[in-house]
Amino acid sequence: MDLRNVGLAVAGGLTMWTVACSNGGADLGGAAGNSTGGQGGAAAAGGAIDGGESGGSGAARATGGATDFGGATGSSGAGLGGTTGSAGSGGAAGQAFVHPGLLHTAADFARMQANYQKQPWVGSWNKLIANSHSQTTWTPRPAATVIRGGTGQNYASLFEDIAAAYQSALRYKITGDTAYADQSIRIMNAWSSTMTSLTGDADRFLASGIYGYEFCQAAEMMRDYSGWSSASFTKFKNLMLTVFYPLQHDFLLNHNAACVTNYWANWDLSNIAGMAAIGVLCDDRAKYDEALNYFKTGPGNGQIDHSIPFVYPGSPGSPALGQGQEEGRDQGHSGLDVSLWGVIGQQFYNQGDDMFAWENNKLLAASEYFANYNAGDAVPFTAYEWGTGQKCASSAQAVISANSRGDQRPVWDLIYNHYQALKGVPAPNSAAYAASVRPDGGGGDYGPSSGGYDQLGFTTLTCTLPAAESTW
């Protein structure tokens, strides 16, 4: 791993990652379950950028028990007791992309087909077929210009239609009923023939990431369907390449002209997820690698060590815990980070890059931390300092936030099944949290606001593994 901008410290049982520049900004909302601030709720310290969820956090310095030893340049980084940088194949550069190969592969669909009428899959399946977005009567509402944030917001039609396209594709892939295939294609064609721009205040960058990765899932699932013409598929890919990708790239490069770590982790993470998805969908190795490299070594809060700045090593019978970057903010957004780590990990894993295993299962440590605290238990917390706005003005969080504690999102069977069911890596907190959420639903089942559509869901149906598929 390239540690040019990272420092490693160990003190009092804490492994800490630090970066040179920190961030902040006011959160003008932060309602539980929403990816954007602006809906009401407590404000965090700092100055807002463009009135969106520009709330800052970032590169932390420990003030409560850890010492920053600076940047261990060139270190191989086995700091967490395992092999750092264990990226599966070591990166699939030069290899053809796996298709379908984003959240779901052909093997996943075969497993769903064999089990969707059994427990526990059937509970999630029943939620899918009862959902209003999963019906062939759903009517798409495409717009030429989608606005998220500021005056004239109309982005709800986009996230609802994405849910409908994905859920229809899922019904088709499981049952073979082409009425749902045609419905998914109808929705995607409507948008690719209409939409020309994505705008708004800073929140447009959340839209480019979240809706970019989500829309790509439906397209990747339907890419081999004979009823989707080559010309129409190309038009959809062009929508991703010309409208969504430029915003993703610009945000990760420039961060809306703010301090590089001004924005909370979910902003970077959503755009990493979207960029990787576009890379796979469009067979564009450069874009895929751009996303992968940013997740490993990028300067912003979406980089894995910046999004999980502190790790508390485990012991026999007790897992390592990773303090997520938004834990001092609220649990609604921390839960969003968990869902985005799951998406990012799964997309890369299905292409041969095992970021789930990176730095001794660091993503699991963060999931275990969140699950433990949100189930009602105590967790350690290291005071967190960061810079805000355009000049990295100083701000700090001293305690973990209890706001939105107990947040539940439809992602936990992805996390649990990858680590404990597939690999045999103990994930007791995540397993318990998955059980509390199971069976999960998807868009339309978790409220009408954007937060209810920030993840596609149905992971009990799509990710549950029979015992025979375990590799341990």
Side-chain angles (χ1 to χ4, degrees), residues 217-374:
Q217 307 303 320
E220 180 72 4
M221 292 161 69
M222 299 305 302
R223 66 183 299 136
D224 60 354
Y225 177 56
S226 61
W228 200 9
S229 72
S230 175
S232 294
F233 181 43
T234 296
K235 182 178 281 190
F236 184 89
K237 289 189 288 185
N238 285 339
L239 172 64
M240 295 295 110
L241 291 168
T242 62
V243 174
F244 287 83
Y245 169 75
L247 287 169
Q248 296 163 1
H249 173 78
D250 180 60
F251 183 77
L252 293 179
L253 185 66
N254 299 309
H255 288 88
N256 203 30
C259 178
V260 65
T261 48
N262 179 70
Y263 288 85
W264 300 95
N266 74 83
W267 292 69
D268 273 12
L269 291 171
S270 63
N271 282 287
I272 292 168
M275 187 181 292
I278 290 173
V280 173
L281 180 72
C282 299
D283 289 296
D284 191 324
R285 178 64 57 182
K287 290 177 177 55
Y288 175 90
D289 287 345
E290 182 181 356
L292 180 60
N293 291 335
Y294 195 99
F295 192 50
K296 291 179 179 179
T297 63
N301 282 330
Q303 196 254 79
I304 187 169
D305 294 323
H306 303 173
S307 66
I308 311 167
F310 309 109
V311 172
Y312 308 89
S315 59
S318 178
L321 300 177
Q323 180 180 317
Q325 191 260 347
E326 303 199 50
E327 287 290 351
R329 180 191 186 192
D330 64 59
Q331 297 308 306
H333 289 91
S334 294
L336 175 59
D337 291 342
V338 173
S339 73
L340 289 168
W341 287 323
V343 169
I344 290 168
Q346 192 66 50
Q347 291 184 154
F348 286 140
Y349 183 82
N350 283 338
Q351 296 301 329
D353 293 294
D354 191 356
M355 296 307 296
F356 283 119
W358 190 260
E359 291 173 359
N360 203 29
N361 304 313
K362 193 168 192 178
L363 295 185
L364 176 60
S367 300
E368 288 291 285
Y369 182 103
F370 176 92
N372 201 35
Y373 180 68
N374 282 270

Side-chain angles (χ1 to χ4, degrees), residues 25 73 79 111 118 120 154-155 168 191 198 208 230 240 243 259 275 291 339 368 370 394 407 410-411 415 426:
T73 304
R111 181 183 63 251
K118 305 173 184 176
N154 64 349
Y155 68 104
S168 295
W191 279 93
L198 174 58
S208 66
S230 175
M240 295 295 110
V243 174
C259 178
M275 187 181 292
S339 73
E368 288 291 285
F370 176 92
S394 179
D407 177 79
V411 65
I415 301 292

Side-chain angles (χ1 to χ4, degrees), residues 10-11 25-26 47 101 105 123 134 171 192 243 256-257 260 335 369 375 450 457:
V10 179
T105 65
S134 307
R171 292 190 72 167
S192 64
V243 174
N256 203 30
V260 65
Y369 182 103
S450 62

Side-chain angles (χ1 to χ4, degrees), residues 422-447:
L422 178 65
K423 292 179 173 176
V425 177
N429 301 329
S430 298
Y433 218 70
S436 74
V437 176
R438 186 182 303 127
D440 60 6
D445 293 325
Y446 296 87

Side-chain angles (χ1 to χ4, degrees), residues 180-203:
Y180 295 99
D182 294 338
Q183 170 71 348
S184 183
I185 297 304
R186 185 160 47 246
I187 295 167
M188 289 188 283
N189 284 349
W191 279 93
S192 64
S193 299
T194 304
M195 185 176 179
T196 58
S197 63
L198 174 58
T199 188
D201 63 18
D203 283 6

Side-chain angles (χ1 to χ4, degrees), residues 416-427:
Y416 157 71
N417 277 280
H418 180 85
Y419 283 108
Q420 189 159 308
L422 178 65
K423 292 179 173 176
V425 177

